[in-house]
Amino acid sequence: MGKPVIGVMPQYNEKDTRLMIGADFFGAIAKAGGIPVLLPLFSSVEDVEEILDRFDGFLYPGGPDINPLIFGEDAHLQCGNIIPARDTLELVLLSAILRLKKPVFGICRGIQVMNVALGGTLYQDISAQTATAHKNIGHYQKAGDAVLTHSVYVEKGTLLYEIVGKERLFVNSFHHQSCKELGEGMVVNATAADGVVEAAALKHHKFFLGVQWHPEHLYEISEDMAKIWNAFVGNCKSR
């Protein structure tokens, strides 16, 4: 059996209309035994069906905020940049991924897209909209990408616990939004000390996991993060 090919959603620089992706995403997939390939941003419905046939799994990376109109809200004052092309492609493709139950791993924005696709909602700004914001967990750290800055607490009996085998992880953090109401079938896998959802997975799906932190920066220094990448790519291999 050959290596699994992982479709990676592109990040997009509007200023110079450039598709891009952080090298760490590709490094993490490659080290776990997969072949990462950057997907096109502007795709037709017919293209999406072709994409599904050619890839064994999909990675949804971080990026700008999702348009809150998609989950039934007007934009909050603290809502950030929105790129409609990403919203469109990621949601259309995710609907098809769910139909075929292909493995998908979401990071930061990724977990939020996964949640919204299943009918969930988001806190458009954690500090402004959550009752526990006074606990002052640093969800958008000033430290470097690979610096661990806060704890997340993993729920026993969940997919994440099955992967890492422990109830507490140390993570980095670069987000101002998070899941609010969970979408249909989504189950909390981990939370921060202030109750913010840090990981969630879909019931009855072999691998549909999203995390709010950035394990692509940590796979070389954290055994726990390497386990998550290995589990994702490993599930793509077994298809």
Side-chain angles (χ1 to χ4, degrees):
M1 182 181 294
K3 291 183 177 181
V5 181
I6 312 299
V8 180
M9 295 295 165
Q11 296 170 322
Y12 183 56
N13 185 322
E14 294 173 293
K15 185 176 180 180
D16 57 9
T17 62
R18 178 178 298 175
L19 296 182
M20 57 190 182
I21 196 69
D24 284 345
F25 291 109
F26 275 31
I29 290 171
K31 186 164 185 180
I35 299 172
V37 176
L38 191 64
L39 297 176
L41 180 61
F42 304 98
S43 300
S44 66
V45 173
E46 293 78 13
D47 290 342
V48 166
E49 292 299 326
E50 289 284 340
I51 287 168
L52 279 172
D53 287 340
R54 295 167 189 248
F55 292 91
D56 302 301
F58 296 89
L59 176 69
Y60 277 60
D65 294 348
I66 302 163
N67 193 329
L69 293 176
I70 294 171
F71 52 91
E73 295 183 10
D74 292 330
H76 186 275
L77 179 64
Q78 299 300 325
C79 182
N81 186 32
I82 293 167
I83 298 180
R86 279 197 68 175
D87 291 345
T88 299
L89 173 63
E90 292 177 5
L91 289 168
V92 169
L93 184 55
L94 195 55
S95 176
I97 290 169
L98 285 164
R99 186 179 76 243
L100 297 181
K101 292 194 172 182
K102 290 204 172 185
V104 59
F105 183 30
I107 293 172
C108 197
R109 170 190 163 93
I111 184 178
Q112 296 165 15
V113 173
M114 293 159 78
N115 189 52
V116 169
L118 289 162
T121 62
L122 305 177
Y123 289 110
Q124 294 186 49
D125 187 76
I126 294 168
S127 296
Q129 293 185 308
T130 61
T132 56
H134 65 278
K135 290 191 176 181
N136 294 322
I137 299 294
H139 289 291
Y140 207 110
Q141 69 188 48
K142 296 178 177 65
D145 292 346
V147 179
L148 306 175
T149 60
H150 78 79
S151 302
V152 299
Y153 299 92
V154 183
E155 298 284 340
K156 284 188 173 181
T158 61
L159 174 60
L160 183 59
Y161 186 84
E162 179 183 320
I163 293 167
V164 299
K166 58 177 62 173
E167 295 180 64
R168 186 184 186 191
L169 302 175
F170 299 103
V171 302
N172 55 5
S173 195
F174 299 95
H175 64 105
H176 80 108
Q177 298 193 329
S178 66
C179 297
K180 185 179 179 181
E181 298 168 332
L182 288 186
E184 185 177 358
M186 289 288 276
V187 177
V188 173
N189 277 218
T191 57
D194 58 3
V196 166
V197 174
E198 291 281 348
L202 181 62
K203 293 187 293 186
H204 312 307
H205 193 293
K206 191 172 183 182
F207 198 100
F208 188 97
L209 176 68
V211 301
Q212 195 59 75
W213 63 91
H214 286 265
E216 74 274 15
H217 299 313
L218 306 174
Y219 70 96
E220 294 275 23
I221 64 169
S222 168
E223 182 180 351
D224 296 324
M225 300 306 121
K227 286 179 179 179
I228 296 172
W229 285 106
N230 289 337
F232 168 51
V233 175
N235 272 279
C236 297
K237 286 179 181 177
S238 63
R239 294 192 62 78

